[in-house]
């Protein structure tokens, strides 16, 4: 499922791994989130990562597939908190 609004909001956040303010919306690499050959995961499973962290994550340089999935799950929780906090600041 594509969600352009979520992707735009995620890109506004700093990198969830290193804090770099220039981030990208990084999709999950897990099949349980809809990832498949040539298919990105659902946009609901995106986190802000800078270019360097995104590249390391996608190339499994941060650990094994299982370790990457665990990292991503933690980042996703943090991202959701950051997004809800930024929504609160709008009011």
């Amino acid at each position: 499922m594509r969600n352009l609004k979520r992707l735009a909001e995620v890109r506004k956040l700093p990198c969830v791994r290193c804090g770099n303010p220039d981030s990208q919306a990084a999709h999950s690499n897990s099949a349980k989130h809809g990832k498949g050959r040539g298919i990105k995961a659902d946009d609901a499973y995106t986190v802000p990562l800078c270019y360097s962290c995104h590249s390391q994550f996608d190339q499994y340089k941060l650990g094994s597939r299982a370790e990457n999935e665990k990292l991503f799950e933690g980042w996703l929780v943090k991202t959701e908190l950051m997004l809800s906090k930024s929504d609160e600041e709008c009011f």
Side-chain angles (χ1 to χ4, degrees):
M1 178 76 132
R2 298 300 121 203
N3 183 337
L4 298 179
K5 182 180 177 197
R6 178 184 170 85
L7 295 178
E9 292 302 313
V10 168
R11 287 183 193 110
K12 291 178 187 175
L13 299 172
C15 177
V16 74
R17 182 168 180 254
C18 74
N20 185 326
D22 298 319
S23 66
Q24 306 170 342
H27 289 80
S28 168
N29 289 329
S30 177
K32 71 181 176 183
H33 297 146
K35 170 74 172 147
R37 288 182 179 241
I39 300 170
K40 286 194 178 292
D42 187 304
D43 288 346
Y45 302 103
T46 52
V47 299
L49 290 175
C50 68
Y51 175 81
S52 177
C53 292
H54 192 174
S55 176
Q56 291 174 64
F57 173 69
D58 281 348
Q59 295 174 40
Y60 296 99
K61 291 184 177 177
L62 303 177
S64 68
R65 185 175 296 271
E67 291 167 329
N68 262 13
E69 284 192 19
K70 187 172 181 171
L71 279 173
F72 189 87
E73 292 297 331
W75 294 339
L76 190 59
V77 169
K78 187 174 179 181
T79 298
E80 294 304 327
L81 290 171
M82 293 164 67
L83 286 170
S84 66
K85 184 170 176 80
S86 67
D87 284 345
E88 290 172 7
E89 292 172 358
C90 292
F91 297 103

